[in-house]
Each structure stands twice: as structure tokens, then as C-alpha cells.
């Protein structure tokens, strides 16, 4: 008897189902996709027993005829594509024709659908692979798919389901991934009869995103919108000051398909590098639109992965779109539309007008629509609020005009003339100030509508890092020569670091030269340098680089980051009011004021409302 | 004990010693000052453990005694009293203050708690004219370092050779040196570093005095101005060998009017970077051009007449350092002795005084292009 034989069809289908239907959330995904593809304007999801007892999706889409219903659960039967060529122009969510068949293989399915208004529909119940019952049934135009007893015939899979709680979470997350990106559809979700999501069609994408993420989160989000070659990128990204401990709040879409795509996630990580702490993740809703022929969605049965033709280009486009949205400049414009759909290739994707009608994918609102609705409404972002308040305060106090000669210097108590300026009253009673240093580490600044708190070390680190980077670009280097050159003995490792980085050190403003053997001579260092400590600073930087302790994309950035960290004013250092003011000014002038190069935050703000709430005045 | 004196005198004397009372201290006793009534004089002493200042007041006295008085409270009371005679009494650790119809009782501390000055045998004593010492301090103290990681640079070095006294201060970027030709034989070969705080206090007190008597001991120095005595702990050395870094071959000499240069430098530096304070000197035989170019801020240029021997030269300096030096010079013209643009420059007054010789070293900023 031959050892190798063809598997019976039930087994094949169960194996295939394993790829598509992993858990109840997969069922939700397939059914909701079908509903959207059917042009539904309202989609209702009902689950019970965390999806293992029941997953039901009710839509008011185009519906199916009795013949279609009979075909629907057959493997590779679909209305969405006809020829292999269509595979490269996929504009609908589904196309493989596997979903219903796969679900049917591991559950009991009931489909009730009507393609006409008037309430006459047809119902079909499928168990295993065969239709067990088929009869007329009342149904409004649209389709209801009821999936029961999931995995009843694959006990192993059933055993691997996680706790009800985590399955529920997964279902909700899957459902929300649609809710977030299709604002014009009304969504409902009932879990064991309890209303979890009830959302009417939203007036704008922004409104929908705010409804899902919450208005308080939305306050920390900036709009992302950019067009780069054939790529359109749109969405909302949280400011570096607002992060989460996991990626659960990152929703990335390629052509409005929720994906886990490596190129884009990597681009996101890159965009936030150096500005958020390690192991923190931004909240993000990001839609990337790529012409259909530039992307292959037929990679993964659940279509979670897609393949982008020009990965490097896409990476750079996403990274720079996020970067520019996060930098101060483009923040004021909070009105966002979906990236447009008017790719030249799209028309070809819907060759037959018939299909065009069937694959009624909701058209995203265009930028014009959004603009017409919102006009030039500006939403003021966190940074602007801080900056605004600060400028306002400066103007009010008439202090825009302070001494330009200030720099961060150690308070020079030794040079005060006793008796004169050093009046006892001033010494003891202190002067009123809007700047106040707490614990010799945090600067509190009274601004309009609240208090801004600055971490002096992190802030100074950011200022030094940015200044050096800018000076490097401009090739401006100022080195203060020193009277007593310093001789430093290095270890072999440190010597290697010195050799490989001496150009960068020279560009920062160090004047270093080899001095025979393993030693170097320091003839100058950057003007205004703190913590020099007879060269210990340089040894600390070498040490950071040797043990790869500095953050950064490349060696230059690492050198700068280490230099910034080591030479920044330390926590515990008393600052004068002028020093605090200068630091605040420099920080606000920085392009990236929210965090130090290590990613720790530099600024926090407490609003007056918040304080009033503490004291129950609101 | 009981003393009486005018409110104005009392206020002035306390204000005088207030510079020494630390504003913040972990040792509460240091926020007091010591009031000692001895024979026919009252001694008021403030001490911050590095510097101690005693001021001696003539007044009417009945009985002797000592008490540590809370500095801030007592000063506030003294200055707010009417302009009349103030009567102060001390009993146990309570201080009584009476003036016209005002009465105060202040809780003081035991004089025993107040830090005592160590008794050390003076190694050498000498007397200097206050005018000279004032000028020497002024010409050096600005260059004292505030980098606490090199404590020896945080003071002014005094040394004596061949009967002269030399004071030197440096922060590693500039160095100020002044020699006084005198006859201080008993100081020969001595080297010590004095804290700038003590020197500043000295300067504030010497205006009406002719001479100051200075006593040097192993670890401290005392300045005696008759009615005030400053005691200061010496800073531990060694001071770096500064003679080694004074260039010997700077042959390019630039001579320029001091006031014109000061004004020009002050003006162009308005636009200099708040971090580097960089100003560029472009030197040609007859014209000195000062320029500042700070991206995002602006540019400034100023031209001055000058005399220069040597090939044209461009040098960058920290404008604040340059102004600090010019401020301490009094002559009409100053001379810069230069070599290359990345080498130490020497600044000296032209036609200096007879017995004081003043010299400054200034390290350039290496120019970016």
C-alpha cells in the first residue's frame, strides 16, 4: 500500500482553516471585511462566550441571492476577483475566497441574506462542509452571518484559545481596526448583549479616531499628512510625551488594510528614535496608501502581511512624514484627511463596471471635503500651548529683552561685592521669580494657564545635542584653547575609540592630538563646556562609546549623545534665575524639545484646570 | 553685659559682616554671629568655616560677656529701629534690645557652639598699602576659576621672590598676573593661595584705611585693618606652573587704544553667540577689524585704528574674557603680543605704572574656518 496518499477534503479544509481562522477574532475580521466589501453602511457585531459560542455580523450591504449563498462557503469562491491579473489590482478586503469556507470547516455557519429590499431573504445553515438546511427567511437587504460553536471539530485548536478576557480583547482590537479607518460606516458591537461600541457615522476621520481613542488621548496627537511620490500617508501620531508600554495602540493600514508590516513599523521606530524612552511606544493611527500595483497583499492568508515593492522608499516616506509631523513646524494643522485614493492605477483595478459596483469600498473623504467642513480650524497642540503661554509670559513681563551675554554658568558667589549688591535683605528674603528650581533638578515656570516643569539635565542634554548637531551641519566649530594642555592616558579600547572618532570630536570643538604611546593631549575643548573636570569628561565619553551606552543611529549621533549627556548640567546643580531662563529659551527654540536624546521627557505641563480640579474648584 | 550704641553704627557694622554669614547652611550656628564684649570694645564675628570676619565697635560698655546672635532676625530688628541709641543686654542665652519705646528679647545660642579660630603661630607678617593691594586684587581676581574640580585654581596665588610680591589667577582660559616691586624680605620664597571671598571682603573694607597688616600662618592668612580682622583658610596647592605657559616668542605686536577697543568689543558682542561669545579680530598693519557672525542672530563689524608689526592675522576670542581684561587696565593704550592664531596671546598695558607690572594671557577660540 502506498504510503503517500491524497488527504480527504475535510482534512484539507481543516488545515487551511487553521491558517485563516486562528481564533474568534479571525472570524470577526473575515466577516467584517466581507460586510465592508459588500458596501454596508451599518455593521453590527454580536459575540457571546468571547466568540467561541457565537460571532454574528449583521450588515446592510448589497446582500446575496439564494444561489450566491449556496456558493459562498465553497472554497475559493468569491465575487471579488475573476482573473489572476486581478490579484495585482486588489481594492477589496477579501479576494481569496477562503474565508467563509475556512470558517465553515471549523464551525456551524448560518447565512441569512437578501439582495432586495422588502424583507424577503434566504437562509442557509452549513455544518462541517455541507449545507444542512436551506430555506426562505425574512431579512432586510444585507447579510447576516452567524458563526456558532467555533472549533467544535478541532478540539486541539479550541484548547489553545487563550482566556476569555484575552480573546475578547483581541476581538475588540480587530473590530476597532475597522472602526478607526472607516469613519463613514456606523458600527455596533455587543458582547454578551452588552453594548461595547455604538458609533454613528463620523463627520470626519479625526472625529472617529477621537471617538475610539478618547478625547484626552487625542489632545496628545498630531496630524500626519504627506505625499511622497506615489505614496500618500495620513493619520495621527502621539507626541513623544505621550507613549504606551506596548504597541496595542498602533494601527497601521496599507491601503486601508490593517497590517503588521515590518518596513512601516521599522520606519515608525526610527521616527521616534531618540525622542521616546526605550520600551515605550507611541499611539498611532497611520494609513499609507500605495498604488495597488506597488503592493502585494496576497502574501498571507489572513492578509496581515503585505509586500511593498519599494520598501526602502516606503520606509523613508513614512519616517519623514512622521518626523515632520512631530517637529514643531507642521503641528498647527490638525485637519487630516485620508490619503487620497486617486491613484492613476486605480481605474484599471476596476475594469468591469459591474465589479466596481460590487466592490463598493467606502470612499474616504477627500481633503477638500474635510476642509470644507472644518475650514481653517486650528487645534492648538500641547507644544504650541506651552510655547504660546511662554511667549505670552515673556511679553507680559517685558523680559524678551534680557541680557544676551548670559550663559549657563555656575553661580559665581565668590565675585559678589559684599555690602553693596549683596544686601542682606536680598540675600535672605529672596526675589520674586517666575522661575523656581525644585530639588535642584526641576525648573518650574509659571506660564499662562498653568505650570511648565523642565528636567534641567534632560533639557540641557537636548539643547547641547541639537546645538552640536546643527553646528556639525553648518561646520561651525568653536574650540576654546586651554592654557594648561591636559595629558590623558587611554586604554587600548579608548585609544581605538579616539582614533575612529577624532574627526567628530574635532567637529564638536575638541582639539585633541596623539601624544605618543597610548596617550593624547587635549589643547582645547568646546567653548562653554561644563563638567570638564580635568579631562574626566572625555574619558566618560570614550567609556560610553566603548560599551555602546549612547543612543543613536550612527557613530556620530552616539558621540553627540554621549557628549550631550556628560556635559549637560547635572541634577543637583543650583541654577540662577538667568540660567533657568536661558535654558528654557534654548529648549523652546530646539526643534525637538520634548525629550533628551535618550528619550526621557524634558517638559511636562500642569494646567490650571488640573490644579483647580485638585482643589475641587471645578 | 550691657552695651549702648547708635542705631546707624550698629546697622552698618552688622551689614558689614553679613557677607560672611552663609544664607543656607546645614550648621545652624553659622547663621548666627558672635557678640563678644571685651574690656572696652565689642567684637562682632561671622564665620562660614572658610572665612571669618570680625568687626570691632567702640561703644559704652558695662560688664563682659559673649553670646551667639541669630543673624537675620537681629539685622532686621537693628535696621528697623528708630535713629537713636540702642541698648543691648545679654543674660544667659537671651538677648535684650531696647531703643526708645521698642523692646525685644531674642533667643540666642551659647557662644561655646560658635566655631573657634585655630591658634597658629604666624610664619611671617608684613604691611602693604591698601591702595596697592586693592589694585593687585582687582587686576587678578576676575580670572579666578570657579571650577571646583581644580580647587587650587579657585584662588589667587601670592608668591614672593627677590622682595617682590606677585599675584596670579587663572581659570585655564586666561591668566592674570601682577608684580609689585617692594621689599618683602621676610616673605622670600613663600607661596600661598588665597580665597577670592576673603579678598573681596578685604577690598570692601579698605577704602578708608592706609595700610593693611597681613600675617601668614601654616594654613591661614589674617588681614588686620585695626577695626576689622579677616581670617581666611588658605587654599591647598599646588598652583600650576604658570611660568611655563607664558610665551616667550610672541613677536607680532598690536597696539590699540584701550577705550576704543573696549567700546567696539562691547558693541559687536551684543550679537555674539550666548554660548561662545566669539568675536573675531582681523589684524592688518593699520586697521583692526572686530567682527561677529552668529547664525540665526546676526552680524556686526567694527573697525579701529591700530599699529601692528607682523603679517596679517585673524584670531578669535571670547568677548567676555577680552572685556574682563580691558576693564582692569588703566593706560591709554594696550598691546597684544601675538604669535599664531591658535596660540596664547599676551595683553599688557602700554606705559604701565612704576612699581606694578600687569600682564594677561588669553587663549584664543579656534576659528571654525
Amino acid at each position: 500500500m502506498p504510503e503517500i496518499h491524497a488527504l480527504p477534503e475535510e482534512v484539507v479544509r481543516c488545515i487551511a482553516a487553521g491558517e485563516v481562522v486562528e481564533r474568534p477574532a479571525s472570524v470577526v475580521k473575515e466577516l467584517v471585511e466581507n460586510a465592508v466589501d459588500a458596501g454596508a453602511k451599518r455593521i453590527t457585531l454580536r459575540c457571546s462566550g468571547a466568540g467561541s459560542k457565537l460571532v454574528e455580523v449583521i450588515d446592510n450591504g448589497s446582500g446575496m441571492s439564494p444561489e450566491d449563498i449556496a456558493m459562498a462557503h465553497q472554497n475559493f469562491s468569491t465575487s471579488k476577483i475573476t482573473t489572476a491579473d486581478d490579484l495585482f489590482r486588489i481594492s477589496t478586503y477579501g479576494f481569496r475566497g477562503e474565508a467563509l469556507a475556512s470558517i465553515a470547516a471549523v464551525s456551524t455557519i448560518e447565512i441569512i441574506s437578501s439582495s432586495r429590499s422588502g424583507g424577503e431573504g434566504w437562509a442557509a445553515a452549513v455544518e462541517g462542509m455541507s449545507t444542512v438546511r436551506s430555506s426562505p427567511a425574512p431579512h432586510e437587504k444585507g447579510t447576516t452571518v452567524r458563526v456558532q460553536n467555533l472549533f467544535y471539530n478541532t478540539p486541539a485548536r479550541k484548547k489553545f484559545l487563550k482566556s476569555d478576557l484575552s480573546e475578547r480583547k483581541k476581538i475588540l482590537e480587530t473590530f476597532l481596526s475597522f472602526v478607526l479607518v472607516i469613519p463613514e460606516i456606523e458600527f455596533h458591537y455587543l458582547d454578551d448583549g452588552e453594548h461595547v461600541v455604538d458609533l454613528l457615522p463620523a463627520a470626519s476621520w479625526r472625529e472617529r479616531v477621537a471617538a475610539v481613542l478618547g478625547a484626552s488621548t487625542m489632545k496628545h496627537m498630531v496630524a500626519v499628512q504627506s505625499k511622497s511620490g506615489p505614496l500618500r500617508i495620513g493619520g495621527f501620531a502621539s507626541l513623544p510625551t505621550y507613549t504606551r508600554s506596548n504597541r496595542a495602540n498602533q494601527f497601521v493600514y496599507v491601503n486601508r488594510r490593517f497590517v503588521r508590516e515590518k518596513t512601516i513599523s521599522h520606519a515608525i521606530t526610527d521616527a521616534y528614535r531618540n525622542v521616546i524612552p526605550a520600551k515605550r511606544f507611541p499611539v498611532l493611527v497611520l494609513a499609507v496608501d500605495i498604488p495597488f500595483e506597488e503592493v502585494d497583499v496576497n502574501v498571507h492568508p489572513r492578509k496581515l502581511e503585505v509586500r511593498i515593492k519599494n520598501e526602502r522608499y516606503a520606509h523613508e516616506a513614512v519616517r519623514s512624514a512622521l518626523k515632520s509631523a512631530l517637529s514643531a513646524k507642521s503641528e498647527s494643522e490638525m485637519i487630516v484627511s485620508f490619503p487620497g485614493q486617486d491613484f492613476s492605477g486605480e481605474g484599471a483595478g476596476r475594469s468591469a463596471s459591474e465589479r466596481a459596483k460590487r466592490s463598493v469600498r467606502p470612499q474616504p473623504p477627500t481633503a477638500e471635503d474635510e476642509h470644507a467642513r472644518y475650514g481653517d480650524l486650528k487645534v492648538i497642540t500641547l507644544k504650541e500651548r506651552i510655547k504660546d503661554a511662554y511667549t505670552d509670559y515673556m511679553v507680559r513681563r517685558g523680559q524678551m529683552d534680557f541680557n544676551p551675554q548670559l550663559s549657563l554658568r555656575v553661580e559665581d558667589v565668590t565675585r559678589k561685592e559684599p555690602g553693596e549688591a549683596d544686601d542682606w535683605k536680598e540675600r535672605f528674603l529672596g526675589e520674586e521669580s517666575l522661575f523656581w528650581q525644585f530639588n535642584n533638578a526641576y525648573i518650574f515656570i509659571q506660564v499662562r494657564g498653568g505650570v511648565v516643569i523642565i528636567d534641567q539635565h534632560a533639557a540641557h542634554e537636548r539643547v547641547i545635542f541639537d546645538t552640536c548637531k546643527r553646528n556639525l551641519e553648518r561646520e561651525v566649530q568653536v574650540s576654546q584653547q586651554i592654557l594648561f594642555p591636559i595629558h590623558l592616558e587611554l586604554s587600548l579600547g579608548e585609544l581605538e575609540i579616539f582614533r575612529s572618532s577624532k574627526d567628530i570630536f574635532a567637529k564638536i570643538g575638541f582639539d585633541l592630538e596623539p601624544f605618543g604611546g597610548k596617550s593624547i593631549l587635549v589643547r582645547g575643548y568646546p567653548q562653554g563646556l561644563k563638567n570638564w573636570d580635568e579631562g574626566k569628561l572625555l574619558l566618560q565619553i570614550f567609556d560610553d562609546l566603548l560599551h555602546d551606552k549612547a543612543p543613536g543611529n550612527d557613530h556620530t549621533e552616539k558621540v553627540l549623545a554621549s557628549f550631550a549627556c556628560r556635559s549637560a548640567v547635572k541634577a543637583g546643580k543650583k541654577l540662577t534665575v538667568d540660567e533657568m531662563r536661558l535654558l528654557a529659551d534654548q529648549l523652546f527654540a530646539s526643534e525637538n524639545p520634548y525629550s533628551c536624546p535618550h528619550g526621557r521627557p524634558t517638559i511636562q505641563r500642569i494646567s490650571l484646570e488640573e490644579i483647580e480640579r485638585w482643589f475641587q474648584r471645578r | 553685659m550691657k552695651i549702648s550704641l547708635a542705631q546707624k553704627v550698629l546697622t552698618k557694622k552688622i551689614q558689614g559682616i553679613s557677607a560672611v554669614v552663609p544664607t543656607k547652611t546645614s550648621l545652624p550656628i553659622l547663621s548666627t554671629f558672635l557678640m563678644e564684649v571685651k574690656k572696652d570694645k565689642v567684637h562682632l564675628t561671622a564665620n562660614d568655616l572658610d572665612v571669618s570676619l570680625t568687626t570691632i565697635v567702640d561703644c559704652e560698655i558695662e560688664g563682659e560677656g559673649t553670646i551667639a546672635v541669630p543673624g537675620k532676625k537681629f539685622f532686621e530688628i537693628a535696621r528697623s529701629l528708630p535713629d537713636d541709641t540702642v541698648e543691648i543686654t545679654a543674660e544667659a542665652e537671651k538677648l535684650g534690645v531696647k531703643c526708645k519705646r521698642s523692646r525685644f528679647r531674642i533667643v540666642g545660642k551659647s557662644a561655646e557652639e560658635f566655631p573657634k579660630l585655630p591658634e597658629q603661630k604666624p610664619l611671617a607678617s608684613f604691611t602693604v598699602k591698601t591702595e596697592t593691594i586693592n589694585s593687585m586684587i582687582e587686576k587678578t581676581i576676575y580670572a579666578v576659576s570657579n571650577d571646583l574640580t581644580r580647587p587650587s585654581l579657585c584662588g589667587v596665588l601670592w608668591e614672593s621672590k627677590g622682595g617682590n610680591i606677585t599675584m596670579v589667577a587663572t581659570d585655564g582660559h586666561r591668566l592674570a598676573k601682577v608684580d609689585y616691586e617692594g621689599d618683602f624680605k621676610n616673605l622670600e620664597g613663600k607661596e600661598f593661595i588665597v580665597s577670592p571671598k576673603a579678598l573681596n571682603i578685604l577690598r570692601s573694607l579698605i577704602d578708608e584705611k592706609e595700610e593693611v597688616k597681613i600675617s601668614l600662618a601654616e594654613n591661614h592668612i589674617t588681614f588686620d585693618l585695626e577695626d576689622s580682622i579677616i581670617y581666611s583658610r588658605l587654599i591647598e596647592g599646588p598652583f600650576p606652573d604658570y611660568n611655563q605657559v607664558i610665551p616667550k616668542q610672541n613677536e607680532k605686536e598690536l597696539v590699540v587704544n584701550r577705550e576704543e577697543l573696549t567700546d567696539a568689543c562691547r558693541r559687536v558682542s551684543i550679537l555674539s553667540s550666548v554660548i561662545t561669545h566669539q568675536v573675531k579680530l582681523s589684524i592688518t598693519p593699520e586697521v583692526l577689524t572686530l567682527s561677529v557672525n552668529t547664525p540665526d542672530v546676526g552680524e556686526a563689524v567694527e573697525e579701529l585704528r591700530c599699529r601692528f608689526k607682523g603679517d596679517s592675522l585673524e584670531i578669535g576670542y571670547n568677548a567676555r574674557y577680552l572685556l574682563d581684561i580691558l576693564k582692569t587696565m588703566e593706560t591709554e593704550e594696550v598691546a597684544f603680543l601675538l604669535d599664531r592664531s591658535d596660540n596664547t596671546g599676551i595683553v599688557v598695558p602700554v606705559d604701565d605704572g612704576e612699581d606694578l607690572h600687569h600682564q594677561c594671557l588669553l587663549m584664543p577660540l579656534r576659528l571654525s574656518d
Side-chain angles (χ1 to χ4, degrees):
Chain A
M1 199 174 132
E3 296 268 318
I4 298 175
H5 56 91
L7 285 170
E9 208 194 332
E10 306 96 67
V11 184
V12 172
R13 283 179 69 169
C14 279
I15 292 172
E19 289 183 338
V20 179
V21 189
E22 191 190 29
R23 57 205 299 187
S26 326
V27 176
V28 172
K29 175 176 178 291
E30 300 300 337
L31 298 186
V32 175
E33 278 186 0
N34 283 345
V36 175
D37 282 344
K41 289 287 161 226
R42 187 181 63 237
I43 297 174
T44 306
L45 167 69
R46 284 175 35 184
C47 293
S48 70
S52 61
K53 280 194 194 130
L54 170 76
V55 176
E56 182 183 63
V57 172
I58 306 153
D59 70 55
N60 64 351
S62 53
M64 287 183 279
S65 63
E67 300 77 40
D68 282 346
I69 296 174
M71 276 295 286
H73 63 90
Q74 298 293 317
N75 220 357
F76 304 117
S77 61
T78 185
S79 62
K80 294 164 187 174
I81 59 170
T82 356
T83 67
D85 271 358
D86 289 346
L87 273 176
F88 301 100
R89 297 188 287 267
I90 290 159
S91 65
T92 51
Y93 280 122
F95 60 87
R96 289 169 68 113
E98 283 177 315
L100 275 181
S102 299
I103 296 168
V106 291
S107 68
T108 318
I109 283 194
E110 196 178 350
I111 304 170
I112 314 160
S113 185
S114 169
S115 54
R116 284 171 301 170
S117 42
E120 292 164 40
W122 195 267
V126 184
E127 207 164 288
M129 283 154 49
S130 48
T131 310
V132 292
R133 181 163 46 84
S134 175
S135 60
H139 199 277
E140 283 300 315
K141 189 176 180 210
T143 306
T144 296
V145 180
R146 196 173 291 149
V147 176
Q148 284 167 297
N149 301 326
L150 189 62
F151 301 133
Y152 75 99
N153 55 351
T154 51
R157 176 67 58 134
K158 190 154 188 161
K159 225 160 58 188
F160 276 100
L161 286 180
K162 301 221 170 91
S163 68
D164 276 7
L165 182 70
S166 71
E167 294 301 335
R168 278 204 183 90
K169 264 170 74 179
K170 200 70 202 167
I171 290 171
L172 181 63
E173 201 183 300
T174 306
F175 192 64
L176 289 180
S177 73
F178 291 96
V179 175
L180 269 171
V181 80
I182 318 172
E184 59 279 2
I185 295 183
E186 180 180 337
F187 282 101
H188 300 278
Y189 168 35
L190 288 90
D191 182 32
D192 285 333
E194 196 181 315
H195 289 255
V196 179
V197 174
D198 276 307
L199 287 171
L200 293 175
S204 68
W205 190 18
R206 186 186 160 71
E207 186 186 311
R208 174 58 62 85
V209 173
V212 174
L213 299 180
S216 58
T217 301
M218 210 58 196
K219 276 190 206 152
H220 301 280
M221 308 280 277
V222 291
V224 181
Q225 192 159 28
S226 112
K227 182 171 183 259
S228 169
L231 264 69
R232 308 279 182 106
I233 297 155
F236 303 89
S238 69
L239 289 168
T241 45
Y242 191 85
T243 56
R244 297 288 176 85
S245 59
N246 56 49
R247 289 184 213 266
N249 279 291
Q250 293 191 1
F251 296 88
V252 175
Y253 302 85
V254 168
N255 293 347
R256 298 181 105 191
R257 187 186 297 283
F258 179 73
V259 292
R260 297 254 175 251
E261 207 284 320
K262 284 199 191 81
T263 308
I264 296 174
S265 348
H266 195 253
I268 294 168
T269 313
D270 269 2
Y272 280 89
R273 194 186 299 281
N274 286 343
V275 297
I276 62 172
K279 297 192 183 120
R280 299 294 295 177
F281 302 94
V283 177
L284 203 82
V285 178
L286 196 69
V288 181
D289 276 18
I290 306 175
F292 300 119
E293 59 273 19
E294 292 282 320
V295 56
D296 186 359
V297 287
N298 190 15
V299 178
H300 187 273
R302 277 179 290 136
K303 303 161 197 132
L304 265 178
E305 287 170 20
V306 294
R307 195 159 289 153
I308 298 170
K309 257 191 203 159
N310 198 340
E311 287 185 351
R312 199 179 283 178
Y313 185 83
H315 178 279
E316 185 47 34
V318 171
R319 195 190 67 86
S320 65
L322 279 172
K323 269 263 183 219
S324 68
L326 292 173
S327 77
K329 281 150 196 161
S330 60
E331 257 182 55
S332 54
E333 193 62 35
M334 284 293 278
I335 301 143
V336 177
S337 61
F338 279 105
Q341 283 285 318
D342 53 330
F343 298 119
S344 52
E346 197 193 30
R350 299 188 185 159
S351 48
S353 62
E354 239 273 91
R355 198 179 314 123
K357 220 191 279 164
R358 292 292 321 254
S359 64
V360 234
R361 253 196 80 195
Q363 287 302 303
T366 63
E368 286 70 34
D369 290 348
E370 289 268 320
H371 221 73
R373 216 172 272 131
Y374 280 83
D376 283 328
L377 174 77
K378 273 194 176 179
V379 179
I380 297 174
T381 60
L382 172 73
K383 169 159 186 201
E384 283 204 326
R385 275 189 284 135
I386 296 176
K387 207 163 180 167
D388 227 42
Y390 186 75
T391 320
D392 173 73
Y393 136 82
M394 293 291 266
V395 173
R396 267 192 305 146
R397 298 286 294 189
Q399 282 171 335
M400 281 304 257
D401 209 9
F402 59 88
N403 182 3
Q405 295 288 327
L406 292 170
S407 78
L408 271 175
R409 286 174 64 126
V410 185
E411 187 184 10
D412 196 351
V413 281
T414 52
R415 281 184 214 162
K416 270 189 188 151
E417 305 270 327
E420 299 167 20
D422 216 35
D423 182 39
W424 211 343
K425 184 188 172 203
E426 205 176 287
R427 283 160 52 91
F428 284 122
L429 305 182
E431 48 178 313
E432 204 192 334
S433 167
L434 293 183
F435 289 83
W436 176 63
Q437 194 186 20
F438 168 68
N439 209 20
N440 284 351
Y442 301 97
I443 303 169
F444 280 63
I445 310 172
Q446 187 185 324
V447 296
R448 186 180 55 184
V451 175
V452 169
I453 308 166
I454 294 177
D455 177 321
Q456 66 188 42
H457 174 72
H460 197 204
E461 210 177 323
R462 166 55 65 193
V463 167
I464 294 174
F465 184 80
D466 281 11
T467 312
C468 283
K469 218 169 167 185
R470 211 164 47 237
N471 287 349
L472 232 59
E473 280 157 16
R474 288 178 181 155
E475 304 205 325
V476 182
Q477 353 128 1
V478 182
S479 170
Q480 169 68 60
Q481 303 290 296
I482 51 180
L483 258 171
F484 307 99
I486 286 163
H487 175 233
L488 294 176
E489 192 81 35
L490 304 183
S491 71
L492 278 175
E494 288 167 342
L495 194 66
E496 191 44 46
I497 295 286
F498 163 70
R499 286 211 186 100
S500 59
S501 338
K502 59 173 186 257
D503 291 350
I504 306 166
F505 279 106
K507 282 177 186 165
I508 300 175
F510 283 99
D511 193 346
L512 312 175
E513 57 184 61
F515 200 60
K518 288 188 289 178
S519 54
I520 57 168
L521 195 68
V522 186
R523 293 190 174 280
Y525 52 67
Q527 164 64 349
L529 185 68
K530 310 287 163 221
N531 313 333
W532 170 238
D533 200 1
E534 291 300 281
K536 283 208 192 83
L537 175 85
L538 211 48
L539 295 179
Q540 286 170 340
I541 297 173
F542 286 157
D543 189 64
D544 282 351
L545 297 172
L546 198 57
H547 299 104
D548 206 16
K549 282 191 273 190
N553 286 323
D554 55 29
H555 190 61
T556 308
E557 250 180 44
K558 286 179 184 172
V559 174
L560 292 187
S562 171
F563 170 68
C565 178
R566 297 300 184 175
S567 62
V569 56
K570 300 268 186 287
K573 172 73 98 189
K574 179 112 191 90
L575 299 181
T576 64
V577 170
D578 285 340
E579 286 166 347
M580 291 189 255
R581 188 186 295 142
L582 181 73
L583 181 58
D585 286 347
Q586 289 180 326
L587 183 66
F588 282 111
S590 153
E591 276 181 25
N592 212 333
Y594 300 114
S595 62
C596 76
H598 290 101
R600 279 190 292 271
T602 53
I603 312 175
Q604 296 290 347
R605 180 179 189 269
I606 304 173
S607 68
L608 181 59
E609 294 91 72
E610 215 172 326
I611 295 170
E612 284 173 338
R613 237 176 282 131
W614 297 346
F615 297 101
Q616 303 185 357
R617 296 193 172 274
R618 247 172 208 264
Chain B
M1 80 173 222
K2 183 174 165 189
I3 60 171
S4 326
L5 73 170
Q7 183 265 344
K8 286 215 164 128
V9 177
L10 178 67
T11 309
K12 189 167 171 245
K13 291 290 183 183
I14 299 171
Q15 189 160 358
I17 62 169
S18 73
V20 179
V21 179
T23 40
K24 276 181 200 148
T25 170
S26 50
L27 266 180
I29 191 69
L30 297 184
S31 63
T32 66
F33 61 83
L34 189 67
M35 185 181 277
E36 294 170 286
V37 182
K38 290 181 195 162
K39 293 175 196 159
D40 55 344
K41 298 240 189 310
V42 177
H43 293 236
L44 301 173
T45 303
N47 188 337
D48 71 358
L49 297 182
D50 283 326
V51 178
S52 157
L53 170 61
T54 302
T55 181
I56 300 159
V57 194
D58 276 316
C59 59
E60 278 180 43
I61 285 169
E62 282 175 38
E64 296 191 346
T66 58
I67 184 169
V69 184
K72 184 187 169 191
K73 288 278 178 245
F74 189 78
F75 175 63
E76 278 183 45
I77 291 169
R79 66 201 289 269
S80 61
L81 287 173
D83 183 6
D84 205 332
T85 304
V86 183
E87 202 181 284
I88 301 167
T89 54
E91 209 174 284
E93 278 160 30
K94 294 251 169 62
L95 193 75
V97 179
K98 247 196 259 182
C99 180
K100 281 195 157 173
R101 296 182 183 187
S102 310
R103 304 272 186 286
F104 295 87
R105 268 168 78 80
I106 309 164
V107 179
K109 282 189 159 64
S110 160
E112 293 298 307
E113 284 183 51
F114 201 82
K116 306 249 177 326
L117 299 184
E119 301 271 337
Q120 273 184 7
K121 230 176 84 191
L123 302 173
S125 293
F126 56 103
T127 306
V128 193
K129 269 193 260 163
T130 54
E131 191 191 331
T132 307
I133 204 101
N134 194 18
S135 169
M136 290 178 83
I137 296 171
E138 187 196 333
K139 285 173 171 30
T140 50
I141 201 162
Y142 69 89
V144 169
S145 164
N146 51 28
D147 178 2
L148 298 175
T149 61
R150 283 193 90 177
S152 68
L153 296 188
C154 297
V156 179
L157 172 77
W158 297 37
E159 60 176 12
S160 178
K161 256 181 221 148
N164 297 348
I165 293 183
T166 303
M167 283 195 202
V168 183
T170 180
D171 63 1
H173 302 157
R174 60 246 174 105
L175 180 145
K177 173 171 171 273
V178 56
D179 298 296
Y180 176 55
E181 283 179 25
D183 188 21
F184 301 99
K185 287 284 185 281
N186 58 347
L187 266 185
E188 189 66 28
K190 298 264 185 317
E191 252 189 59
F192 47 96
I193 305 168
V194 186
S195 112
K197 183 171 180 179
L199 297 176
N200 270 327
I201 292 169
L202 176 63
R203 284 178 70 200
S204 73
L205 297 172
I206 55 183
D207 39 350
E208 289 153 28
K209 303 291 180 311
E210 283 273 312
E211 286 186 329
V212 53
K213 189 181 160 206
I214 303 172
S215 306
L216 182 70
E218 188 67 45
N219 296 324
H220 69 255
I221 189 166
T222 313
F223 301 91
D224 189 339
L225 288 156
E226 289 178 4
D227 64 353
S228 314
I229 299 161
I230 303 159
Y231 158 96
S232 172
R233 198 191 289 270
L234 290 174
I235 294 174
E236 267 181 56
F239 200 83
D241 182 3
Y242 67 90
N243 277 309
Q244 198 192 312
V245 298
I246 299 178
K248 311 281 184 294
Q249 289 158 340
N250 283 9
E251 282 164 356
K252 299 177 177 178
E253 191 190 27
L254 164 76
V255 178
V256 61
N257 180 288
R258 183 180 56 85
E259 270 180 29
E260 282 176 22
L261 179 60
T262 305
D263 292 346
C265 185
R266 194 169 285 140
R267 279 191 293 267
V268 295
S269 70
I270 292 171
L271 292 186
S272 72
S273 149
V274 290
I275 307 289
T276 68
H277 308 287
Q278 180 182 332
V279 53
K280 188 164 88 179
L281 276 64
S282 309
I283 312 164
T284 60
E286 282 172 356
V287 180
L288 165 66
T289 309
L290 266 64
S291 60
V292 161
N293 183 350
T294 313
D296 300 337
V297 180
E299 294 164 34
V301 178
E302 186 117 13
E303 286 178 352
L304 295 168
R305 272 176 306 132
C306 73
R307 298 194 303 279
F308 181 58
K309 287 174 216 150
D311 297 332
S312 300
L313 194 61
E314 285 195 343
I315 297 191
Y317 285 121
N318 180 328
R320 303 174 93 193
Y321 291 170
L322 193 55
L323 287 169
D324 278 347
I325 289 176
L326 294 172
K327 208 167 24 179
T328 64
M329 303 203 167
E330 289 135 30
T331 56
E332 192 188 338
E333 288 182 321
V334 290
F336 289 71
L337 305 172
L338 307 168
D339 183 30
R340 291 203 322 264
S341 64
D342 56 353
N343 276 13
T344 316
I346 305 176
V347 190
V348 291
V350 177
D351 296 325
D352 209 354
E354 295 201 339
D355 45 7
L356 275 185
H357 300 289
H358 183 197
Q359 189 180 38
C360 299
L361 305 187
L362 182 56
M363 293 309 287
L365 293 173
R366 195 185 60 197
L367 295 174
S368 48
D369 37 29

